[in-house]
Coordinates of all heavy atoms in Angstrom, one line a residue:
M148 N -3.4 3.0 -16.1 CA -4.2 2.7 -14.9 C -3.8 3.6 -13.8 O -2.6 3.9 -13.6 CB -3.9 1.2 -14.4 CG -4.6 0.9 -13.1 SD -4.3 -0.7 -12.5 CE -5.0 -1.8 -13.7
T149 N -4.7 4.2 -13.1 CA -4.4 5.1 -11.9 C -4.5 4.3 -10.6 O -5.1 3.1 -10.6 CB -5.4 6.2 -11.9 OG1 -6.7 5.7 -11.5 CG2 -5.5 7.0 -13.2
L150 N -4.1 4.9 -9.5 CA -4.2 4.2 -8.2 C -5.7 4.1 -7.9 O -6.1 3.1 -7.3 CB -3.5 5.0 -7.2 CG -2.0 4.9 -7.2 CD1 -1.4 5.8 -6.1 CD2 -1.5 3.5 -7.1
D151 N -6.5 5.0 -8.3 CA -8.0 4.9 -8.1 C -8.5 3.7 -8.8 O -9.3 2.9 -8.2 CB -8.7 6.2 -8.6 CG -8.5 7.4 -7.7 OD1 -8.5 7.2 -6.4 OD2 -8.4 8.5 -8.2
D152 N -8.1 3.5 -10.0 CA -8.5 2.3 -10.8 C -8.1 1.0 -10.0 O -8.9 0.1 -9.9 CB -7.9 2.2 -12.2 CG -8.4 3.3 -13.1 OD1 -9.5 3.9 -12.9 OD2 -7.6 3.7 -14.0
L153 N -6.9 1.0 -9.6 CA -6.4 -0.2 -8.9 C -7.1 -0.4 -7.6 O -7.5 -1.6 -7.2 CB -4.9 -0.1 -8.7 CG -4.2 -1.3 -8.1 CD1 -4.4 -2.6 -8.9 CD2 -2.7 -1.0 -7.9
A154 N -7.4 0.6 -6.8 CA -8.1 0.5 -5.6 C -9.5 0.0 -5.8 O -10.0 -0.9 -5.1 CB -8.2 1.9 -4.9
R155 N -10.2 0.4 -6.9 CA -11.5 -0.2 -7.3 C -11.4 -1.7 -7.6 O -12.3 -2.4 -7.2 CB -12.1 0.6 -8.4 CG -12.8 1.9 -8.0 CD -13.6 2.5 -9.1 NE -12.8 3.0 -10.2 CZ -12.1 4.2 -10.3 NH1 -12.3 5.0 -9.2 NH2 -11.4 4.6 -11.3
I156 N -10.4 -2.1 -8.3 CA -10.2 -3.5 -8.7 C -10.0 -4.3 -7.4 O -10.6 -5.4 -7.2 CB -9.1 -3.7 -9.7 CG1 -9.4 -3.0 -11.0 CG2 -8.7 -5.1 -9.8 CD1 -8.3 -2.9 -12.0
I157 N -9.2 -3.8 -6.5 CA -8.9 -4.5 -5.3 C -10.2 -4.6 -4.5 O -10.5 -5.7 -3.9 CB -7.8 -3.8 -4.5 CG1 -6.5 -4.0 -5.2 CG2 -7.7 -4.3 -3.0 CD1 -5.3 -3.2 -4.7
A158 N -11.0 -3.6 -4.4 CA -12.2 -3.6 -3.6 C -13.2 -4.6 -4.2 O -13.9 -5.4 -3.5 CB -12.9 -2.2 -3.6
A159 N -13.2 -4.7 -5.6 CA -14.1 -5.7 -6.2 C -13.6 -7.1 -6.0 O -14.4 -8.0 -5.7 CB -14.2 -5.4 -7.7
R160 N -12.3 -7.3 -6.0 CA -11.8 -8.6 -5.7 C -11.9 -9.1 -4.3 O -11.8 -10.3 -4.0 CB -10.3 -8.7 -6.2 CG -10.3 -8.6 -7.7 CD -8.9 -8.9 -8.3 NE -9.0 -8.8 -9.8 CZ -7.9 -8.5 -10.5 NH1 -6.7 -8.4 -9.9 NH2 -8.0 -8.4 -11.8
A161 N -12.1 -8.1 -3.4 CA -12.2 -8.5 -2.0 C -13.4 -9.4 -1.8 O -13.4 -10.2 -0.8 CB -12.4 -7.2 -1.1
A162 N -14.4 -9.3 -2.6 CA -15.6 -10.2 -2.5 C -15.5 -11.5 -3.4 O -16.4 -12.3 -3.3 CB -16.8 -9.4 -3.0
A163 N -14.4 -11.6 -4.0 CA -14.2 -12.8 -4.9 C -13.9 -14.1 -4.1 O -13.5 -14.0 -2.9 CB -13.1 -12.6 -5.9
D164 N -14.0 -15.2 -4.7 CA -13.6 -16.5 -4.1 C -12.1 -16.5 -3.9 O -11.3 -16.3 -4.9 CB -14.0 -17.6 -5.0 CG -13.6 -19.0 -4.5 OD1 -13.0 -19.1 -3.4 OD2 -13.9 -19.9 -5.2
P165 N -11.6 -16.7 -2.7 CA -10.1 -16.7 -2.4 C -9.4 -17.8 -3.3 O -8.2 -17.7 -3.5 CB -10.0 -17.0 -0.9 CG -11.3 -16.5 -0.4 CD -12.3 -16.8 -1.4
E166 N -10.1 -18.8 -3.7 CA -9.5 -19.8 -4.6 C -9.3 -19.3 -6.0 O -8.5 -19.9 -6.8 CB -10.3 -21.1 -4.6 CG -10.3 -21.7 -3.2 CD -8.9 -22.0 -2.6 OE1 -8.1 -22.5 -3.3 OE2 -8.7 -21.7 -1.4
S167 N -9.9 -18.2 -6.4 CA -9.8 -17.7 -7.7 C -9.1 -16.3 -7.8 O -8.9 -15.8 -8.9 CB -11.2 -17.5 -8.3 OG -11.9 -16.4 -7.7
S168 N -8.7 -15.8 -6.7 CA -8.0 -14.4 -6.8 C -7.0 -14.3 -5.7 O -7.3 -14.5 -4.5 CB -9.1 -13.3 -6.5 OG -8.5 -12.1 -6.2
W169 N -5.8 -13.9 -6.1 CA -4.7 -13.7 -5.1 C -5.1 -12.6 -4.2 O -4.8 -12.7 -2.9 CB -3.4 -13.3 -5.9 CG -2.4 -12.6 -5.0 CD1 -2.0 -11.3 -5.1 CD2 -1.6 -13.2 -3.9 NE1 -1.1 -11.0 -4.1 CE2 -0.8 -12.2 -3.4 CE3 -1.6 -14.4 -3.4 CZ2 0.0 -12.4 -2.3 CZ3 -0.7 -14.6 -2.3 CH2 0.1 -13.6 -1.8
T170 N -5.7 -11.6 -4.6 CA -6.1 -10.5 -3.8 C -7.1 -10.9 -2.7 O -7.0 -10.6 -1.5 CB -6.7 -9.3 -4.6 OG1 -5.7 -8.9 -5.6 CG2 -7.1 -8.1 -3.7
A171 N -8.1 -11.7 -3.2 CA -9.1 -12.2 -2.2 C -8.5 -13.1 -1.2 O -8.8 -13.1 0.0 CB -10.2 -12.9 -3.0
K172 N -7.5 -13.9 -1.7 CA -6.9 -14.9 -0.8 C -6.1 -14.1 0.3 O -6.1 -14.5 1.5 CB -5.9 -15.8 -1.6 CG -5.2 -16.9 -0.8 CD -4.4 -17.7 -1.7 CE -5.1 -19.1 -1.8 NZ -4.3 -20.1 -2.5
L173 N -5.4 -13.1 -0.1 CA -4.6 -12.3 0.8 C -5.5 -11.6 1.8 O -5.3 -11.6 3.0 CB -3.7 -11.3 0.1 CG -2.8 -10.5 0.9 CD1 -1.8 -11.3 1.8 CD2 -1.9 -9.6 0.0
L174 N -6.6 -11.0 1.3 CA -7.5 -10.3 2.2 C -8.2 -11.3 3.2 O -8.4 -10.9 4.3 CB -8.5 -9.5 1.4 CG -8.0 -8.3 0.7 CD1 -9.0 -7.8 -0.4 CD2 -7.7 -7.2 1.7
A175 N -8.4 -12.5 2.7 CA -9.1 -13.5 3.6 C -8.2 -13.9 4.8 O -8.7 -14.3 5.8 CB -9.4 -14.7 2.8
K176 N -6.9 -13.7 4.6 CA -5.9 -14.0 5.7 C -5.9 -12.9 6.8 O -5.3 -13.1 7.8 CB -4.5 -14.2 5.1 CG -4.4 -15.4 4.3 CD -3.1 -15.6 3.7 CE -3.0 -16.9 2.9 NZ -1.7 -17.1 2.3
G177 N -6.6 -11.8 6.5 CA -6.7 -10.7 7.5 C -5.7 -9.6 7.4 O -4.7 -9.7 6.7
P178 N -6.0 -8.5 8.1 CA -5.2 -7.3 8.0 C -3.7 -7.5 8.4 O -2.8 -6.9 7.8 CB -5.9 -6.3 9.0 CG -7.3 -6.8 9.1 CD -7.2 -8.3 8.9
E179 N -3.5 -8.3 9.4 CA -2.1 -8.5 9.8 C -1.3 -9.1 8.7 O -0.1 -8.7 8.5 CB -2.1 -9.4 11.1 CG -2.8 -8.8 12.3 CD -4.3 -8.9 12.3 OE1 -4.9 -9.6 11.4 OE2 -4.9 -8.3 13.2
K180 N -1.8 -10.1 8.0 CA -1.1 -10.7 6.9 C -0.9 -9.7 5.8 O 0.2 -9.7 5.1 CB -1.8 -12.0 6.4 CG -1.1 -12.7 5.3 CD 0.2 -13.3 5.9 CE 1.0 -14.1 4.8 NZ 2.3 -14.6 5.3
C181 N -1.9 -8.9 5.5 CA -1.8 -7.9 4.5 C -0.7 -6.9 4.8 O 0.1 -6.5 4.0 CB -3.1 -7.1 4.3 SG -4.4 -8.2 3.6
A182 N -0.6 -6.5 6.1 CA 0.4 -5.6 6.6 C 1.8 -6.2 6.5 O 2.8 -5.6 6.0 CB 0.2 -5.2 8.0
E183 N 1.9 -7.5 6.8 CA 3.2 -8.2 6.7 C 3.6 -8.3 5.3 O 4.8 -8.0 5.0 CB 3.0 -9.7 7.2 CG 4.2 -10.5 7.1 CD 3.9 -12.0 7.5 OE1 3.1 -12.2 8.4 OE2 4.5 -12.9 6.9
K184 N 2.7 -8.5 4.3 CA 3.1 -8.6 2.9 C 3.5 -7.2 2.4 O 4.5 -7.1 1.6 CB 1.9 -9.1 2.1 CG 2.2 -9.4 0.6 CD 3.3 -10.5 0.5 CE 3.6 -10.7 -1.0 NZ 4.8 -11.5 -1.2
F185 N 2.8 -6.2 2.8 CA 3.2 -4.8 2.5 C 4.7 -4.6 3.0 O 5.5 -4.0 2.2 CB 2.3 -3.8 3.1 CG 2.8 -2.4 2.9 CD1 2.8 -1.7 1.7 CD2 3.2 -1.7 4.0 CE1 3.2 -0.4 1.5 CE2 3.7 -0.4 3.9 CZ 3.7 0.2 2.6
G186 N 5.0 -4.9 4.2 CA 6.3 -4.7 4.7 C 7.4 -5.5 3.9 O 8.4 -4.9 3.7
E187 N 7.1 -6.7 3.6 CA 8.0 -7.5 2.8 C 8.3 -6.8 1.4 O 9.5 -6.7 1.0 CB 7.4 -8.9 2.5 CG 7.4 -9.8 3.7 CD 6.6 -11.1 3.4 OE1 6.2 -11.3 2.2 OE2 6.3 -11.8 4.3
E188 N 7.3 -6.3 0.8 CA 7.4 -5.6 -0.5 C 8.2 -4.3 -0.3 O 9.1 -4.0 -1.2 CB 6.1 -5.4 -1.2 CG 5.3 -6.7 -1.5 CD 6.1 -7.6 -2.5 OE1 7.0 -7.1 -3.2 OE2 5.7 -8.8 -2.5
A189 N 8.0 -3.6 0.8 CA 8.7 -2.4 1.0 C 10.2 -2.6 1.2 O 11.0 -1.9 0.7 CB 8.1 -1.7 2.2
I190 N 10.5 -3.7 1.9 CA 11.9 -4.1 2.1 C 12.6 -4.4 0.8 O 13.7 -4.0 0.5 CB 12.0 -5.2 3.2 CG1 11.7 -4.7 4.6 CG2 13.4 -5.8 3.1 CD1 11.5 -5.7 5.6
E191 N 11.8 -5.2 0.0 CA 12.4 -5.5 -1.3 C 12.7 -4.2 -2.2 O 13.7 -4.2 -2.9 CB 11.5 -6.5 -2.1 CG 11.4 -7.8 -1.4 CD 10.4 -8.8 -2.0 OE1 9.7 -8.4 -3.0 OE2 10.2 -9.9 -1.4
A192 N 11.8 -3.3 -2.1 CA 12.0 -2.0 -2.8 C 13.2 -1.3 -2.3 O 14.0 -0.7 -3.1 CB 10.7 -1.1 -2.7
I193 N 13.4 -1.3 -1.0 CA 14.5 -0.6 -0.4 C 15.8 -1.3 -0.9 O 16.8 -0.6 -1.2 CB 14.4 -0.7 1.2 CG1 13.3 0.2 1.7 CG2 15.8 -0.3 1.8 CD1 12.9 -0.1 3.1
I194 N 15.8 -2.6 -0.9 CA 17.0 -3.3 -1.4 C 17.4 -2.9 -2.8 O 18.5 -2.6 -3.1 CB 16.8 -4.8 -1.2 CG1 16.8 -5.2 0.3 CG2 17.9 -5.6 -2.0 CD1 16.3 -6.6 0.5
E195 N 16.4 -2.8 -3.7 CA 16.6 -2.5 -5.0 C 17.1 -1.0 -5.2 O 17.9 -0.7 -6.0 CB 15.4 -2.8 -5.9 CG 15.1 -4.2 -6.0 CD 16.2 -5.2 -6.4 OE1 17.1 -4.8 -7.1 OE2 16.1 -6.4 -5.9
A196 N 16.5 -0.1 -4.3 CA 16.9 1.3 -4.3 C 18.4 1.4 -3.9 O 19.2 2.2 -4.6 CB 16.1 2.1 -3.4
V197 N 18.8 0.7 -2.9 CA 20.2 0.7 -2.5 C 21.1 0.1 -3.5 O 22.2 0.7 -3.8 CB 20.3 -0.1 -1.1 CG1 21.8 -0.3 -0.8 CG2 19.6 0.7 0.0
K198 N 20.7 -0.9 -4.2 CA 21.5 -1.6 -5.2 C 21.6 -0.7 -6.5 O 22.5 -0.9 -7.3 CB 20.9 -2.9 -5.6 CG 21.2 -4.0 -4.5 CD 20.4 -5.3 -4.7 CE 20.4 -5.9 -6.0 NZ 19.6 -7.2 -6.0
G199 N 20.6 0.2 -6.7 CA 20.6 1.1 -7.8 C 20.1 0.4 -9.1 O 20.3 0.9 -10.2
D200 N 19.3 -0.6 -9.0 CA 18.7 -1.3 -10.1 C 17.4 -0.7 -10.4 O 16.4 -1.0 -9.8 CB 18.6 -2.8 -9.8 CG 18.1 -3.6 -11.0 OD1 17.4 -3.1 -11.9 OD2 18.5 -4.8 -11.1
S201 N 17.4 0.2 -11.4 CA 16.1 1.0 -11.6 C 15.0 0.1 -12.1 O 13.8 0.3 -11.7 CB 16.4 2.1 -12.7 OG 17.3 3.0 -12.2
A202 N 15.3 -0.9 -12.9 CA 14.2 -1.7 -13.5 C 13.6 -2.5 -12.3 O 12.4 -2.7 -12.2 CB 14.8 -2.7 -14.6
R203 N 14.4 -3.1 -11.5 CA 13.9 -3.9 -10.3 C 13.2 -3.0 -9.3 O 12.2 -3.4 -8.8 CB 15.0 -4.7 -9.6 CG 15.6 -5.8 -10.5 CD 14.7 -7.0 -10.7 NE 14.1 -7.4 -9.5 CZ 12.8 -7.9 -9.3 NH1 12.0 -8.0 -10.4 NH2 12.4 -8.3 -8.2
L204 N 13.7 -1.8 -9.1 CA 13.1 -0.8 -8.2 C 11.7 -0.5 -8.8 O 10.7 -0.4 -8.0 CB 13.9 0.4 -8.0 CG 13.3 1.5 -7.1 CD1 12.9 1.0 -5.8 CD2 14.2 2.7 -7.0
T205 N 11.6 -0.3 -10.0 CA 10.3 0.0 -10.7 C 9.3 -1.1 -10.4 O 8.1 -0.9 -10.0 CB 10.4 0.2 -12.2 OG1 11.3 1.4 -12.4 CG2 9.1 0.5 -12.8
S206 N 9.7 -2.3 -10.6 CA 8.9 -3.5 -10.4 C 8.5 -3.6 -8.9 O 7.3 -3.8 -8.6 CB 9.6 -4.8 -10.8 OG 8.8 -5.9 -10.5
E207 N 9.4 -3.5 -8.0 CA 9.2 -3.6 -6.6 C 8.3 -2.4 -6.1 O 7.4 -2.6 -5.2 CB 10.4 -3.6 -5.8 CG 11.3 -4.9 -6.0 CD 10.5 -6.2 -5.6 OE1 9.6 -6.2 -4.9 OE2 11.0 -7.2 -6.2
A208 N 8.5 -1.2 -6.7 CA 7.6 -0.1 -6.3 C 6.2 -0.3 -6.7 O 5.2 0.0 -5.9 CB 8.1 1.2 -6.9
A209 N 6.0 -1.0 -7.8 CA 4.6 -1.4 -8.2 C 4.0 -2.3 -7.2 O 2.8 -2.2 -6.8 CB 4.6 -2.0 -9.6
D210 N 4.8 -3.3 -6.8 CA 4.3 -4.2 -5.7 C 4.0 -3.5 -4.4 O 3.0 -3.8 -3.8 CB 5.4 -5.3 -5.5 CG 5.6 -6.3 -6.6 OD1 4.7 -6.3 -7.5 OD2 6.6 -7.0 -6.6
V211 N 4.8 -2.5 -4.1 CA 4.6 -1.8 -2.8 C 3.2 -1.0 -2.9 O 2.4 -1.1 -2.0 CB 5.7 -0.8 -2.6 CG1 5.3 0.2 -1.5 CG2 7.0 -1.5 -2.1
L212 N 3.0 -0.4 -4.0 CA 1.7 0.4 -4.2 C 0.5 -0.6 -4.2 O -0.5 -0.3 -3.5 CB 1.7 1.2 -5.5 CG 2.7 2.4 -5.5 CD1 2.7 3.0 -6.9 CD2 2.3 3.4 -4.5
F213 N 0.6 -1.7 -4.9 CA -0.4 -2.7 -4.9 C -0.7 -3.2 -3.5 O -1.9 -3.2 -3.0 CB -0.1 -3.9 -5.8 CG -1.1 -5.0 -5.7 CD1 -2.3 -5.0 -6.3 CD2 -0.8 -6.1 -4.9 CE1 -3.2 -6.0 -6.2 CE2 -1.7 -7.1 -4.7 CZ -2.9 -7.1 -5.4
H214 N 0.3 -3.6 -2.7 CA 0.1 -4.1 -1.4 C -0.3 -3.1 -0.4 O -1.0 -3.4 0.6 CB 1.3 -4.9 -1.0 CG 1.4 -6.3 -1.7 ND1 2.1 -6.4 -2.9 CD2 0.8 -7.4 -1.4 CE1 1.9 -7.7 -3.3 NE2 1.1 -8.3 -2.4
L215 N 0.1 -1.8 -0.6 CA -0.4 -0.7 0.2 C -1.9 -0.6 0.1 O -2.7 -0.5 1.1 CB 0.2 0.6 -0.1 CG -0.4 1.8 0.5 CD1 -0.2 1.8 2.1 CD2 0.3 3.1 0.0
L216 N -2.4 -0.7 -1.2 CA -3.8 -0.6 -1.4 C -4.6 -1.8 -0.8 O -5.7 -1.7 -0.3 CB -4.1 -0.4 -2.9 CG -3.7 0.9 -3.5 CD1 -3.9 0.9 -5.0 CD2 -4.3 2.1 -2.9
V217 N -4.0 -3.0 -0.9 CA -4.6 -4.2 -0.3 C -4.7 -4.0 1.2 O -5.7 -4.3 1.8 CB -3.8 -5.5 -0.7 CG1 -4.3 -6.7 0.1 CG2 -3.9 -5.7 -2.2
M218 N -3.6 -3.5 1.8 CA -3.6 -3.3 3.3 C -4.6 -2.3 3.7 O -5.4 -2.5 4.7 CB -2.2 -2.8 3.7 CG -2.1 -2.6 5.2 SD -0.4 -2.2 5.7 CE -0.1 -0.6 4.9
L219 N -4.8 -1.2 2.9 CA -5.8 -0.2 3.2 C -7.2 -0.8 3.1 O -8.0 -0.6 4.0 CB -5.7 1.0 2.2 CG -4.5 1.9 2.4 CD1 -4.4 2.9 1.3 CD2 -4.4 2.6 3.7
Q220 N -7.4 -1.6 2.1 CA -8.7 -2.3 1.9 C -9.0 -3.2 3.1 O -10.1 -3.3 3.5 CB -8.7 -3.2 0.6 CG -9.9 -4.0 0.3 CD -11.1 -3.2 0.1 OE1 -11.1 -2.2 -0.7 NE2 -12.3 -3.6 0.6
S221 N -8.0 -3.9 3.6 CA -8.2 -4.8 4.7 C -8.6 -4.1 6.0 O -9.3 -4.8 6.8 CB -6.9 -5.6 5.0 OG -5.9 -4.8 5.7
R222 N -8.4 -2.8 6.0 CA -8.9 -2.1 7.2 C -9.9 -1.0 6.8 O -10.2 -0.1 7.6 CB -7.7 -1.3 7.9 CG -6.8 -2.2 8.6 CD -7.5 -2.9 9.8 NE -6.5 -3.6 10.6 CZ -6.9 -4.4 11.6 NH1 -8.1 -4.6 11.9 NH2 -6.0 -5.0 12.3
D223 N -10.5 -1.2 5.6 CA -11.6 -0.3 5.2 C -11.2 1.2 5.2 O -12.0 2.0 5.5 CB -12.9 -0.5 6.0 CG -13.5 -1.9 5.8 OD1 -13.4 -2.4 4.6 OD2 -13.9 -2.5 6.7
V224 N -9.9 1.4 4.8 CA -9.4 2.8 4.7 C -9.4 3.1 3.2 O -8.8 2.4 2.4 CB -8.0 3.0 5.3 CG1 -7.5 4.3 5.0 CG2 -8.0 2.6 6.7
A225 N -10.2 4.1 2.8 CA -10.3 4.5 1.4 C -9.1 5.2 0.9 O -8.5 6.1 1.6 CB -11.6 5.3 1.2
L226 N -8.7 5.0 -0.3 CA -7.6 5.7 -0.9 C -7.9 7.2 -0.9 O -7.0 8.0 -0.7 CB -7.3 5.2 -2.3 CG -6.3 6.0 -3.1 CD1 -4.9 5.9 -2.4 CD2 -6.2 5.4 -4.5
S227 N -9.2 7.5 -1.1 CA -9.6 9.0 -1.1 C -9.3 9.6 0.2 O -9.0 10.8 0.3 CB -11.1 9.1 -1.5 OG -11.9 8.4 -0.6
D228 N -9.4 8.9 1.3 CA -9.0 9.4 2.6 C -7.5 9.7 2.7 O -7.1 10.7 3.3 CB -9.5 8.5 3.7 CG -11.0 8.4 3.9 OD1 -11.7 9.2 3.3 OD2 -11.4 7.4 4.5
V229 N -6.7 8.8 2.2 CA -5.3 9.0 2.2 C -4.9 10.2 1.3 O -4.1 11.1 1.7 CB -4.5 7.8 1.6 CG1 -3.0 8.0 1.5 CG2 -4.8 6.6 2.6
M230 N -5.6 10.3 0.1 CA -5.3 11.5 -0.8 C -5.8 12.8 -0.1 O -5.1 13.8 -0.3 CB -6.0 11.2 -2.1 CG -5.5 10.0 -2.8 SD -3.8 9.9 -3.0 CE -3.5 11.1 -4.2
A231 N -6.9 12.7 0.6 CA -7.4 13.9 1.3 C -6.3 14.4 2.4 O -6.1 15.6 2.6 CB -8.7 13.7 2.0
E232 N -5.7 13.4 3.0 CA -4.7 13.7 4.0 C -3.5 14.4 3.4 O -2.9 15.3 3.9 CB -4.3 12.5 4.8 CG -3.2 12.7 5.8 CD -3.5 13.7 6.9 OE1 -4.6 14.1 7.1 OE2 -2.5 14.1 7.6
L233 N -3.1 13.8 2.2 CA -2.0 14.4 1.5 C -2.3 15.9 1.1 O -1.5 16.8 1.1 CB -1.6 13.6 0.3 CG -0.9 12.3 0.6 CD1 -0.8 11.4 -0.7 CD2 0.5 12.5 1.2
A234 N -3.6 16.0 0.6 CA -4.0 17.4 0.2 C -4.0 18.4 1.4 O -3.6 19.5 1.2 CB -5.4 17.3 -0.4
R235 N -4.4 17.9 2.5 CA -4.4 18.7 3.7 C -3.0 19.2 4.1 O -2.7 20.3 4.5 CB -5.0 17.9 4.9 CG -5.1 18.7 6.2 CD -5.4 17.9 7.4 NE -4.3 17.0 7.8 CZ -3.2 17.3 8.5 NH1 -3.0 18.6 8.8 NH2 -2.3 16.5 8.8
R236 N -2.0 18.3 3.8 CA -0.6 18.6 4.2 C 0.1 19.5 3.1 O 1.1 20.0 3.3 CB 0.2 17.3 4.3 CG -0.2 16.5 5.4 CD 0.6 15.2 5.5 NE 0.2 14.3 6.5 CZ 0.8 13.2 6.8 NH1 1.9 12.8 6.1 NH2 0.4 12.4 7.7
Q237 N -0.5 19.6 1.9 CA 0.1 20.3 0.8 C 0.3 21.7 1.2 O -0.6 22.4 1.8 CB -0.8 20.2 -0.4 CG -0.1 20.8 -1.7 CD -0.9 20.5 -2.9 OE1 -2.0 19.9 -2.9 NE2 -0.4 20.9 -4.0
G238 N 1.5 22.3 0.9 CA 1.8 23.7 1.2 C 2.3 23.8 2.6 O 2.7 24.9 3.0
T239 N 2.4 22.7 3.3 CA 3.0 22.8 4.7 C 4.4 22.2 4.6 O 4.6 21.1 4.0 CB 2.2 22.0 5.7 OG1 0.8 22.5 5.7 CG2 2.7 22.0 7.1
S240 N 5.3 22.9 5.2 CA 6.7 22.4 5.2 C 6.7 21.0 5.9 O 6.0 20.8 6.9 CB 7.6 23.3 6.1 OG 8.7 22.7 6.6
G241 N 7.4 20.1 5.4 CA 7.5 18.8 6.0 C 8.0 18.8 7.4 O 7.6 18.1 8.3
L242 N 8.9 19.8 7.7 CA 9.4 19.9 9.1 C 8.3 20.4 10.0 O 8.2 20.0 11.1 CB 10.6 20.8 9.1 CG 11.9 20.3 8.3 CD1 13.0 21.4 8.3 CD2 12.4 19.0 9.0
A243 N 7.6 21.4 9.5 CA 6.5 22.0 10.3 C 5.4 20.9 10.5 O 4.8 20.8 11.6 CB 5.9 23.2 9.6
E244 N 5.1 20.1 9.5 CA 4.0 19.1 9.6 C 4.5 18.1 10.7 O 3.7 17.7 11.5 CB 3.8 18.5 8.3 CG 2.5 17.6 8.2 CD 2.7 16.2 8.8 OE1 3.8 15.6 8.7 OE2 1.7 15.7 9.4
K245 N 5.7 17.7 10.6 CA 6.2 16.7 11.5 C 6.2 17.2 13.0 O 5.8 16.5 13.9 CB 7.6 16.2 11.1 CG 8.1 15.0 11.9 CD 9.3 14.4 11.3 CE 9.7 13.2 12.2 NZ 10.6 12.4 11.5
A246 N 6.6 18.5 13.1 CA 6.6 19.1 14.5 C 5.2 19.2 15.0 O 5.0 19.2 16.2 CB 7.3 20.4 14.4
S247 N 4.2 19.3 14.1 CA 2.8 19.5 14.6 C 2.2 18.2 15.1 O 1.1 18.3 15.8 CB 1.9 20.1 13.5 OG 1.7 19.1 12.5
R248 N 2.7 17.1 14.8 CA 2.2 15.8 15.3 C 2.4 15.7 16.8 O 3.4 16.2 17.4 CB 2.9 14.6 14.6 CG 2.7 14.6 13.1 CD 3.3 13.4 12.5 NE 3.5 13.6 11.1 CZ 4.2 12.7 10.3 NH1 4.8 11.7 10.9 NH2 4.3 13.0 9.1
S249 N 1.4 15.0 17.4 CA 1.6 14.8 18.9 C 2.8 14.0 19.2 O 3.1 13.1 18.4 CB 0.3 14.2 19.5 OG 0.1 12.9 18.9
K250 N 3.3 14.2 20.3 CA 4.5 13.5 20.8 C 4.1 12.5 21.8 O 4.3 12.7 23.0 CB 5.6 14.4 21.2 CG 6.1 15.3 20.1 CD 7.1 16.3 20.7 CE 7.7 17.1 19.5 NZ 6.9 17.9 18.8
D251 N 3.5 11.4 21.4 CA 3.0 10.4 22.4 C 4.1 9.6 23.0 O 5.0 9.2 22.5 CB 2.0 9.4 21.7 CG 0.8 10.1 21.2 OD1 0.4 11.1 21.8 OD2 0.2 9.7 20.2

C-alpha cells in the first residue's frame, strides 16, 4: 500500500457513517481533534525512537503517517500538494530552504 492508496481510503471513509468507521468518527470531530490525535501519535513515535525499540517505532510511525493523512483530509489538503512541495524543495539545501522562509 502506498501513501496515495491510504489517502484515497481516508477520503472515501470521510463520507462514511461515523458509527461504522474510526476514520469517519475522527473526521466528524473536526480538524482540531484530528490535529490533536496526530500530535499524540507523533509523541508516541518520539518516545519509541528515544527508547530504541525499532518494532514499536515502526508501529508508531505507521500511526503517525495515518493520522497525518487524516489531519490533511480534515483541512482538505491533498497529499499531492504536500508531495509537490517536497518536490519543489528537492535539490535545495535544507539550510538554504529554511533561511528562505519568512521570519514572521
Side-chain angles (χ1 to χ4, degrees):
M148 175 184 297
T149 68
L150 287 178
D151 287 323
D152 294 335
L153 185 55
R155 279 190 290 278
I156 291 168
I157 290 168
R160 290 191 181 154
D164 177 0
E166 295 304 313
S167 67
S168 166
W169 160 250
T170 303
K172 183 178 252 184
L173 184 56
L174 286 165
K176 292 180 180 181
E179 294 81 6
K180 185 64 177 177
C181 294
E183 178 186 324
K184 187 63 179 165
F185 170 73
E187 290 171 7
E188 297 299 340
I190 290 167
E191 290 172 7
I193 291 165
I194 290 167
E195 298 307 333
V197 170
K198 288 169 44 178
D200 186 331
S201 296
R203 290 293 309 145
L204 177 56
T205 298
S206 177
E207 294 300 338
D210 290 346
V211 168
L212 291 174
F213 172 80
H214 285 92
L215 172 62
L216 293 175
V217 170
M218 183 175 63
L219 292 173
Q220 176 68 40
S221 76
R222 287 295 189 191
D223 295 319
V224 174
L226 177 60
S227 60
D228 293 341
V229 175
M230 300 308 289
E232 176 61 15
L233 287 172
R235 183 191 69 76
R236 294 180 185 185
Q237 190 172 1
T239 304
S240 155
L242 295 174
E244 192 282 326
K245 188 168 184 168
S247 73
R248 296 182 199 173
S249 65
K250 294 177 175 63
D251 296 329

